[in-house]
Amino acid sequence: MELYSLTIHELRELLKKREVSALEVTKSYLERIKEVEPKIDALVTITEDFALQKAKEADEKIKKGEDTALTGIPVIIKDNISTEGIKTTCSSKMLENYIPPYNATVVEKLLEEGVIILGKSNLDEFAMGSSTENSAFKTTKNPWDLSRVPGGSSGGSAAAIAADEAAFALGSDTGGSIRQPASLCGVVGMKPTYGLVSRYGLVAFASSLDQIGPFTKDVTDCAIVLNTIIGHDPKDSTSLKIDKPDYTSYLKEDIKGLRIGVAKEFFGEGIEEGVKETVQESIKVLQNLGAEIIDISIPYVEYALPAYYIIASAEASSNLARYDGIRYGHIAEKYEDLIDMYMVTRSEGFGKEVKRRIMLGTYALSSGYYDAYYKKALKVRTLIKNDFEKAFEKCDVIIGPTSPTVAFKIGERANDPLAMYLADIYTVSVNIAGLPGISIPCGLSDGLPVGLQIIGRHFEEGKILNVAYAFEQANKFNAKPQAIGVQDNEVRSSDWLRGPCRTFDREQNLL
Amino acid sequence: MIGLEVHAELLTESKIFCSCTTKFGGEPNTHVCPVCLGLPGTLPVLNKKVVEYAVRAGLALNCTIANFSKMDRKNYFYPDLPKAYQISQYDLPLCSNGYVEIEVDGKVKKIGIKRIHIEEDAGKLLHENTDGSLVDYNRAGVPLIEIVSEPDMSTPEEAYQYLTKLKSILEYTEVSDCKMQEGSLRVDTNVSVRPVGSTELGTKIELKNLNSFKAVQKALEYEIKRQVKVLEEGGTIVQETRRWNESKGITEPMRTKEEAHDYRYFPEPDLVPIIVTDEWKEEIRKSLPEMPHHKRERFIAEYGLPEYDAKIITSSKKMADFFEKCVLEYDSPKAVSNWLMGEFSRLMNETGKEIDEVPVTPQMLAKLLKLIDNGVISGSIAKTVFEEMFGTGKEPEVVVEEKGLKQIANENELREIIKKVIAENPKSVEDYKNGKEKAMGFLVGQVMKATKGKANPQLTNQILKEELSK
Amino acid sequence: MAISRSEVEHVAKLARLKFSQEEIEEFTVQLSKIIDYVNKLNELDTENVEPTAHIVPIYNVFREDEVKPSMDRDKILMNALYKENGCFKVPKIIE
Ligand SMILES: [Zn+2]
């Protein structure tokens, strides 16, 4: 077993006991990145020197006993989250050379704990997409099958974790951009309640829907990362003041009597048979653990996707208006006058999908259409929110598939925007209602991972983690992606900790 | 019909959505941070003072304060607007339905205030450069209130009175310093004419580039004449924005933008609603300083000023403050008010300066008045001294010393001069002795002339009488 | 078509985007399809429904009026390609 295949809590144990150093962990990951990146293309920037320097600092911290849960743990950050002095491109030609002079609040929090940033991950340009094919730089491949997409928009972060390129990653979720790629890549991904994690420094796509969240290798890690990244931020007016819970305290196997809602709307048209069966088996697993399964209905959920496309595009059209090349970013070389400079700059800098959404959003807000589209969508938002509130009167969490399909082929939907939008059909309603949701791997269909989505009430991440953890313990997802050549896919990292080779020979195993 | 839109910069220390200073001036782009530069990922957080100041202005202008208010985005592209949207308020402004009272030809008229909303200022474009324009974002994010009047004014004079009153109230409430030359007060106006008796609304023309209240008045006068002429000649008024050309004294059409504006307003998702509870509103009301009419009444009662004086002195808070400070040092309110309304106002008008830009302090004026009382200088010499103080900021006694303006109060010295005057004016002496009292005045004048005004008036009178009765 | 070619051209101008003729064609078709799809919302009667702009019902989030140092100008200008005398530079604007 290699260090890079361990979880955060496993690494933490080794670091705490000083059995390995943060520098060794970091080098292990950097090697791994070099090995698999040519196949996966998950990263747009690798910050090797910065990582090595931070690793040394982390080791100092550990030596002084100032370490915390994430000290010395390597992370990969989605490239729409601002990192001071490190390019933040949003996988757009527009920001190809943009270097933020400040850190996002989440980055600040991670750095304070001594987390090691290995690099920035690929995404659909400005987080608009469900396959990471909309990146201006590269298409990330799914580690389970290199001819398939990793999902999106946080496809780089999801693929990186699936391929063991970091211990955890950060992504952003506006309509499913964490949960859907987590599902397609067989990792754990959570979108917290809107307002739980500061958005300061997250390059805005749709401000009223965006939320940062973690990608991890298991549920325990998800709770650990959540503990660090949440909390009120005076720089974000929409971030909430709540008592910080210890999410690891929810990691219990007992879910007896917990009411789990299953909505028929999440098993509708377009769902693959394999996905459906896997999720239904998972429901049985939870039932066997003592949970009460309750049939519920969320009738308005079918309107979530059209409402989402209007709200998200409208906000995006405004959020992306600032890219004019004057203060930062791409600027046209040839133009006639000021207006032409704007037009040429923006037309050269943005890709097709981004332009499509700016167009849709501008149209929806334009004079004469505001009431028919934007206001209408906000009203439908109210209906969906109420729908969930009603559903949550009957149950504690709602479960269903994260995505209607397993990972699809690269190029398969690239030219059909609507078909691509349907990839988010089970995830957008959660953003529309501002709820927390997680995707955890629950099995394979045709050798590709299927994700189970667990949705909770506002700020009830703890309950979600409880269910996710119980499920994970009962139904170990031991498979590892084959496509990048994992030598020993039968042995789970956690087995190694319990196994016989505990006296780990560092010299031999490193690098 | 005339309607006015006034933008006033609020006197907060920091900007509306970030902690950068609002100080005027400063090297370009030195009062800028990631938030007011609109860097990707940054978010606004509303300055509480901005809400309080706007509510204060609203209360002083008799507005209804909205219990529920929100911020909206106004989308348009321009290099001075870093986010390509201005955070403003659209359908739910903080204040609405107020009014101010103005006096025109002795009659009181109410001018309606449609709304007051808060918003952020844009940056500044500099055009000195030949091959391009430069952008300075120091001003981007400075808090503004926009005060929109009803189209209740019917003459340029009323517009002028409205602006003067509005400025006075904004200064009184201490929400804005209203310095037009620093751009902290900006006025746009729209005007339409309609034939007498017609109820149909005329076409609205917007006027820009109005750098002073006088300019507003002049531009309106010109524009009304122009529109009337066009209509009389059977033409039609085209809806447009025109610019006041101060040097030519005319309004000119501005280059028309190729498309109509479509600001695509929508609720700002990065900021949450503002709820002004009754308690908060009352707290703000209590913090309101004394308003002009209260101050006026107090000045009459407390200082015994005539109503006319009290009205003029209190029309500007700065003038009223100056007055009170001066009276503290020199306990003759009427004398202070005479000076403020007389010499002081005359020189301010001539130089176009505000009272706080003049180097004369209340203490200095008080000293000057004491010099007169103590007979060191005469009242007329005091005017000369004051002019020097106004220009240079020197203390009165320094001016008197430097210019040798001390009164001649030495009896012997003065008697010699008077004897000389009597000797040179036998005709007037004759007239005086024949009972022509006027001749006395002439002789005093001659003494003053001979002493360049430095003769002590009482002493001059006394000696003259003595010498003439010899 | 749910949206006409000229509307697409108008919206492009509003959004400051420039398209070739072929792109306008393509966008007209694609946007029409998307608009047809989102028109699904019209099936719902929302007459008496309040719009939700903020999903979490919070209000009155303020900062105190305190000045903090601004950012170094070098950093402010760091990402701009065209700059002069401490300012950002744009094409000549005639007002
Ligand atoms: Zn700032």
Side-chain angles (χ1 to χ4, degrees):
Chain A
M1 269 333 273
E2 300 290 343
L3 282 173
Y4 57 69
S5 61
L6 302 184
T7 61
I8 296 172
H9 52 101
E10 288 162 353
L11 284 170
R12 168 78 190 140
E13 215 151 293
L14 295 176
L15 286 164
K16 205 160 74 181
K17 291 184 187 153
R18 311 265 293 271
E19 285 183 28
V20 292
S21 68
L23 190 61
E24 286 162 337
V25 172
T26 304
K27 282 181 175 166
S28 164
Y29 276 108
L30 287 169
E31 273 308 304
R32 175 67 173 174
I33 288 169
K34 273 175 203 154
E35 184 193 335
V36 302
E37 246 323 272
K39 295 179 193 162
I40 306 293
D41 279 326
L43 307 181
V44 291
T45 304
I46 300 167
T47 52
E48 184 166 354
D49 293 344
F50 181 68
L52 292 172
Q53 180 210 324
K54 285 288 159 193
K56 284 174 199 155
E57 288 173 25
D59 280 328
E60 278 302 304
K61 252 190 174 179
I62 294 168
K63 215 186 263 173
K64 286 186 204 152
E66 294 167 358
D67 50 326
T68 49
L70 292 177
T71 310
I73 306 292
V75 69
I76 280 167
I77 292 173
K78 191 178 182 181
D79 211 20
N80 62 346
I81 298 173
S82 300
T83 41
E84 184 178 349
I86 301 168
K87 273 199 240 173
T88 299
T89 69
C90 294
S91 289
S92 177
K93 195 185 166 196
M94 189 61 95
L95 292 178
E96 194 168 358
N97 298 306
Y98 169 65
I99 301 170
Y102 78 101
N103 275 325
T105 297
V106 283
V107 171
E108 205 68 30
K109 286 185 177 206
L110 292 182
L111 289 175
E112 262 168 41
E113 280 217 27
V115 168
I116 289 142
I117 298 174
L118 298 173
K120 304 290 295 282
S121 60
N122 197 25
L123 61 147
D124 285 298
E125 185 178 3
F126 283 102
M128 296 176 188
S130 309
S131 69
T132 321
E133 290 165 287
N134 294 334
S135 164
F137 308 133
K138 50 169 80 165
T139 295
T140 300
K141 286 89 187 172
N142 192 315
W144 293 81
D145 177 347
L146 299 180
S147 69
R148 289 175 190 268
V149 302
S153 66
S154 314
S157 288
I161 298 312
D164 286 333
E165 294 184 58
F168 74 105
L170 290 187
S172 67
D173 191 318
T174 306
S177 283
I178 290 174
R179 291 157 290 152
Q180 186 257 12
S183 169
L184 270 47
C185 290
V187 296
V188 174
M190 178 180 254
K191 180 208 99 79
T193 306
Y194 184 82
L196 189 68
V197 179
S198 168
R199 290 185 295 119
Y200 188 78
L202 168 66
V203 178
F205 160 15
S207 315
S208 77
L209 302 164
D210 295 343
Q211 193 64 194
I212 293 172
F215 286 94
T216 55
K217 294 177 187 176
D218 68 9
V219 175
T220 304
D221 281 5
C222 180
I224 293 169
V225 177
L226 220 49
N227 272 348
T228 294
I229 63 173
I230 69 146
H232 174 250
D233 179 7
K235 291 186 189 133
D236 176 358
S237 309
T238 60
S239 101
L240 279 116
K241 286 179 188 158
I242 56 151
D243 293 331
K244 278 181 95 170
D246 175 6
Y247 290 107
T248 59
S249 69
Y250 292 95
L251 301 172
K252 292 176 196 147
E253 285 167 47
D254 182 15
I255 52 164
K256 273 196 191 76
L258 203 96
R259 297 170 306 161
I260 295 177
V262 177
K264 59 175 185 294
E265 287 83 5
F266 286 145
F267 293 87
E269 217 181 320
I271 189 167
E272 283 177 358
E273 206 47 45
V275 171
K276 196 173 171 181
E277 279 169 18
T278 311
V279 171
Q280 275 164 348
E281 275 166 33
S282 305
I283 294 169
K284 279 192 201 119
V285 170
L286 290 166
Q287 198 165 20
N288 291 338
L289 288 171
E292 192 187 337
I293 305 299
I294 295 163
D295 284 329
I296 56 159
S297 173
I298 315 169
Y300 289 119
V301 87
E302 64 170 305
Y303 298 96
L305 197 58
Y308 168 79
Y309 272 91
I310 290 172
I311 296 169
S313 302
E315 291 179 12
S317 74
S318 174
N319 283 330
L320 271 66
R322 70 188 67 192
Y323 302 102
D324 55 20
I326 296 172
R327 294 159 298 277
Y328 44 81
H330 172 77
I331 188 162
E333 276 178 21
K334 282 184 197 146
Y335 47 82
E336 286 158 21
D337 54 14
L338 183 71
I339 290 187
D340 200 46
M341 184 200 83
Y342 276 101
M343 291 204 170
V344 178
T345 295
R346 292 165 58 75
S347 298
E348 290 172 353
F350 292 138
K352 271 235 164 95
E353 181 60 23
V354 171
K355 288 180 196 169
R356 206 152 30 222
R357 304 223 193 170
I358 291 175
M359 289 290 286
L360 177 64
T362 305
Y363 175 75
L365 289 175
S366 68
S367 145
Y369 293 105
Y370 179 87
D371 285 357
Y373 290 106
Y374 192 69
K375 200 168 181 190
K376 180 89 185 180
L378 290 188
K379 286 177 164 193
V380 173
R381 188 172 194 179
T382 307
L383 295 177
I384 294 165
K385 184 185 84 170
N386 294 345
D387 239 9
F388 272 107
E389 274 169 16
K390 253 181 260 161
F392 277 122
E393 284 169 9
K394 295 194 197 113
C395 58
D396 300 300
V397 294
I398 297 170
I399 64 168
T402 307
S403 159
T405 70
V406 291
F408 46 91
K409 289 270 184 190
I410 290 169
E412 193 182 305
R413 301 186 189 179
N415 295 314
D416 187 349
L418 269 179
M420 187 68 89
Y421 295 177
L422 287 171
D424 293 332
I425 193 146
Y426 298 147
T427 47
V428 286
S429 58
V430 172
N431 299 76
I432 289 283
L435 301 168
I438 200 171
S439 179
I440 56 169
C442 65
L444 296 178
S445 167
D446 293 334
L448 293 167
V450 174
L452 179 70
Q453 180 173 227
I454 308 168
I455 305 163
R457 298 188 191 105
H458 286 136
F459 304 107
E460 291 195 352
E461 279 78 2
K463 223 169 253 178
I464 293 177
L465 289 167
N466 179 196
V467 178
Y469 183 77
F471 178 82
E472 185 186 67
Q473 295 308 309
N475 189 66
K476 285 248 157 75
F477 182 73
N478 285 330
K480 279 292 223 179
Q482 307 273 353
I484 37 167
V486 171
Q487 297 94 352
D488 190 4
N489 70 306
E490 291 306 315
V491 185
R492 270 283 287 169
S493 51
S494 48
D495 296 337
W496 175 82
L497 267 183
R498 288 182 222 110
C501 45
R502 226 173 163 159
T503 43
F504 180 70
D505 185 350
R506 259 170 263 164
E507 301 309 313
Q508 203 186 328
N509 282 279
L510 271 169
L511 307 182
Chain B
M1 289 201 310
I2 300 164
L4 290 164
E5 278 168 28
V6 174
H7 285 90
E9 267 181 14
L10 298 178
L11 275 173
T12 56
E13 298 290 324
S14 63
K15 290 186 179 181
I16 182 166
F17 300 124
C18 66
S19 309
C20 290
T21 178
T22 53
K23 271 205 190 90
F24 181 74
E27 284 291 300
N29 295 304
T30 53
H31 300 166
V32 181
C33 72
V35 175
C36 54
L37 189 63
L39 284 186
T42 56
L43 297 169
V45 184
L46 184 55
N47 184 340
K48 192 176 183 185
K49 262 272 154 64
V50 171
V51 177
E52 289 176 347
Y53 280 3
V55 169
R56 219 194 247 191
L59 290 171
L61 294 167
N62 310 296
C63 288
T64 306
I65 309 301
N67 170 260
F68 183 93
S69 180
K70 68 177 170 69
M71 305 304 294
D72 299 280
R73 290 189 187 175
K74 177 182 182 178
N75 296 282
Y76 65 94
F77 293 88
Y78 209 62
D80 64 4
L81 197 63
K83 302 185 293 297
Y85 56 81
Q86 180 193 31
I87 303 178
S88 180
Q89 296 194 283
Y90 182 52
D91 53 343
L92 296 170
L94 262 180
C95 321
S96 55
N97 285 323
Y99 64 87
V100 285
E101 285 177 341
I102 57 165
E103 245 181 71
V104 184
D105 301 327
K107 271 192 232 152
V108 174
K109 182 171 175 177
K110 263 190 191 176
I111 306 293
I113 306 269
K114 197 173 181 175
R115 56 183 282 160
I116 303 175
H117 70 249
I118 53 177
E119 61 184 28
E120 57 181 332
D121 206 346
K124 204 167 106 191
L125 285 167
L126 310 159
H127 304 291
E128 298 108 62
N129 213 286
T130 45
D131 62 335
S133 297
L134 301 180
V135 201
D136 169 12
Y137 292 110
N138 279 354
R139 216 173 63 185
V142 167
L144 299 176
I145 46 174
E146 181 176 328
I147 305 165
V148 184
S149 82
E150 295 289 352
D152 287 348
M153 288 152 279
S154 42
T155 65
E157 168 67 14
E158 287 181 12
Y160 181 82
Q161 291 302 334
Y162 166 78
L163 288 171
T164 309
K165 190 64 182 282
L166 191 64
K167 179 176 181 233
S168 158
I169 292 171
L170 293 179
E171 282 175 351
Y172 259 95
T173 48
E174 290 166 343
V175 302
S176 177
D177 62 10
C178 297
K179 289 183 179 164
M180 279 190 100
Q181 64 281 14
E182 288 181 9
S184 59
L185 194 78
R186 302 196 281 276
V187 183
D188 295 325
T189 175
N190 49 65
V191 53
S192 64
V193 297
R194 66 173 184 220
V196 178
S198 164
T199 50
E200 215 170 292
L201 290 171
T203 309
K204 263 204 299 196
I205 298 290
E206 241 186 282
L207 297 180
K208 299 223 178 244
N209 194 39
L210 304 162
N211 297 321
S212 67
F213 293 176
K214 279 288 166 208
V216 174
Q217 194 175 2
K218 279 190 269 177
L220 283 170
E221 277 161 7
Y222 175 88
E223 185 56 24
I224 289 168
K225 263 183 223 150
R226 186 189 72 85
Q227 290 185 25
V228 168
K229 196 169 163 224
V230 171
L231 291 176
E232 279 171 357
E233 286 167 357
T236 48
I237 309 285
V238 199
Q239 185 161 354
E240 63 179 346
T241 301
R242 296 175 73 88
R243 170 193 176 85
W244 171 243
N245 185 324
E246 181 84 42
S247 54
K248 289 187 193 162
I250 59 166
T251 66
E252 309 165 321
M254 274 175 77
R255 274 202 330 157
T256 42
K257 303 255 161 71
E258 42 185 285
E259 53 183 302
H261 280 303
D262 182 347
Y263 290 127
R264 289 160 282 133
Y265 281 100
F266 73 103
E268 166 57 283
D270 290 332
L271 290 167
V272 299
I274 304 159
I275 291 180
V276 182
T277 58
D278 288 348
E279 295 80 57
W280 194 13
K281 194 168 81 183
E282 285 318 306
E283 215 174 281
I284 297 169
R285 196 193 297 278
K286 276 182 207 143
S287 77
L288 271 180
E290 191 182 28
M291 285 293 108
H293 57 284
H294 287 130
K295 201 171 272 252
R296 186 163 76 199
E297 280 155 28
R298 181 167 66 81
F299 276 26
I300 294 169
E302 195 175 323
Y303 299 113
L305 287 186
E307 191 172 341
Y308 177 79
D309 290 39
K311 193 173 145 197
I312 292 190
I313 299 286
T314 59
S315 68
S316 139
K317 178 167 190 296
K318 288 171 191 164
M319 170 97 71
D321 288 348
F322 192 104
F323 170 83
E324 291 203 283
K325 277 187 197 141
C326 192
V327 168
L328 270 181
E329 311 261 328
Y330 181 77
D331 191 19
S332 173
K334 179 60 183 153
V336 174
S337 110
N338 284 347
W339 270 84
L340 282 176
M341 294 190 304
E343 282 307 287
F344 219 120
S345 294
R346 183 178 68 79
L347 288 173
M348 286 200 311
N349 279 339
E350 273 173 20
T351 55
K353 279 188 178 162
E354 298 276 342
I355 197 158
D356 57 340
E357 293 163 341
V358 173
V360 179
T361 63
Q363 292 73 18
M364 286 160 72
L365 180 61
K367 273 189 211 162
L368 179 71
L369 295 173
K370 283 181 195 160
L371 289 180
I372 302 173
D373 283 3
N374 297 341
V376 179
I377 53 171
S378 67
S380 58
I381 284 292
K383 287 182 185 166
T384 315
V385 176
F386 182 75
E387 222 170 306
E388 182 69 14
M389 289 161 67
F390 194 96
T392 63
K394 284 180 184 162
E395 292 285 343
E397 59 272 23
V398 174
V399 178
V400 169
E401 195 61 44
E402 280 178 3
K403 303 222 154 188
L405 294 172
K406 235 180 215 156
Q407 275 194 106
I408 301 171
N410 179 309
E411 209 185 308
N412 293 338
E413 194 185 331
L414 199 52
R415 199 175 294 276
E416 286 312 305
I417 295 166
I418 287 170
K419 279 181 179 166
K420 223 173 141 194
V421 168
I422 290 175
E424 282 165 3
N425 294 284
K427 173 87 175 73
S428 297
V429 173
E430 194 61 33
D431 286 350
Y432 176 77
K433 287 187 172 160
N434 292 335
K436 283 193 182 165
E437 286 291 323
K438 266 189 190 163
M440 182 69 180
F442 175 78
L443 289 168
V444 170
Q446 290 304 303
V447 176
M448 286 300 169
K449 202 173 156 191
T451 58
K452 296 199 178 99
K454 289 188 288 184
N456 179 308
Q458 289 82 33
L459 203 55
T460 304
N461 269 321
Q462 183 202 323
I463 300 174
L464 247 180
K465 276 182 189 154
E466 281 172 24
E467 290 298 323
L468 287 170
S469 60
K470 270 182 188 167
Chain C
M1 288 288 172
I3 183 168
S4 71
R5 213 193 137 91
S6 70
E7 272 181 303
V8 171
E9 280 171 347
H10 170 70
V11 172
K13 221 177 208 179
L14 272 180
R16 295 284 188 271
L17 290 171
K18 199 173 197 168
F19 294 121
S20 68
Q21 287 307 308
E22 297 84 71
E23 282 173 318
I24 292 279
E25 274 320 320
E26 196 189 332
F27 269 103
T28 308
V29 174
Q30 285 178 344
L31 285 175
S32 286
K33 272 193 200 162
I34 297 169
I35 290 164
D36 279 336
Y37 175 64
V38 298
N39 277 338
K40 183 180 167 68
L41 296 183
N42 294 330
E43 295 167 9
L44 295 174
D45 177 11
T46 51
E47 181 78 32
N48 297 313
V49 180
E50 280 298 312
T52 298
H54 289 93
I55 199 68
V56 188
I58 48 172
Y59 57 88
N60 286 5
V61 175
F62 301 118
R63 38 171 282 272
E64 294 303 317
D65 183 26
E66 285 165 5
V67 175
K68 287 180 190 157
S70 295
M71 188 169 260
D72 275 355
R73 185 160 74 182
D74 291 350
K75 279 188 175 181
I76 289 295
L77 295 168
M78 173 174 90
N79 282 287
L81 194 57
Y82 299 108
K83 47 203 161 185
E84 200 173 298
N85 298 333
C87 291
F88 299 91
K89 195 172 176 185
V90 296
K92 187 86 186 160
I93 298 164
I94 306 121
E95 280 193 322

